[in-house]
Amino acid sequence: MSRLDSFIRRLEAQRTILNWAAASIQGRSGLALELGLGNGRTYDHLRELLPGREIYVFERDPHPNPLSRPPARFLVVGDMAETLPVFEGEHGAAAALIHVDVTTGVPERDKIAFAWLPARVAALAMPGAIIVSGWALEHDALEVLPLPEGIPEGRYFAYRRAG
Ligand SMILES: C[S@@+](CC[C@H](N)C(=O)[O-])C[C@H]1O[C@@H](n2cnc3c(N)ncnc32)[C@H](O)[C@@H]1O
């Protein structure tokens, strides 16, 4: 598979899993958290899927497409290793949906570089919350969910916060 094919498949998988995650939380209250703004593509998709829901976005170096910049009060700037614990102190386990899209670009490296992240995600998620991630999150409170149809094994990961 060429890198272009692989890139297209990754984006298709992202769209499929975000659509599925947003549908899964329909009718339930709670924040949405986007971990990693980047260009703002997935944030833009989430805000389209979740009109009216508060979506907080975490990013250490925000340079999105200007059309996809979150309002200042929903953009948490800084290293998530520091900003997530502060946010947790202010909001507690308030998230109904968390999308983890921070990466070093090398999946095997992500697990090591972000070893602190699964515990933060588990603490921010309310019981029953849906968490989707580009790499595997290992934490006792995160129950693995089957992937929606069309997502190849290992391309994305889905969890429910145990209650
Ligand atoms: C793959 S990109 C996100 C792509 C984005 N979701 C999109 O669709 O355009 C990952 C982002 O995470 C950010 N990031 C990585 N590690 C971080 C950390 N420890 N704290 C805050 N942001 C971080 C990077 O700056 C980068 O913008």
Side-chain angles (χ1 to χ4, degrees), residues 7-61:
F7 181 63
I8 289 168
R9 285 186 190 198
R10 186 167 71 78
L11 295 185
E12 283 175 346
Q14 263 188 333
R15 182 181 55 189
T16 300
I17 205 154
L18 291 179
N19 291 352
W20 169 83
S24 305
I25 63 158
Q26 214 180 6
R28 291 182 15 210
S29 60
L31 307 176
L33 307 183
E34 166 82 327
L35 308 190
L37 174 64
N39 180 277
R41 281 190 205 100
T42 51
Y43 164 68
D44 189 48
H45 195 62
L46 277 176
R47 70 181 173 181
E48 222 177 86
L49 291 170
L50 301 169
R53 194 176 292 262
E54 295 194 332
I55 306 175
Y56 283 89
V57 185
F58 296 78
E59 172 60 55
R60 67 175 163 211
D61 185 24

Side-chain angles (χ1 to χ4, degrees), residues 125-129 140-143 160-163:
M126 53 177 45
D140 288 348
L142 302 179
E143 300 169 348
R160 176 180 290 119
R161 172 68 163 93

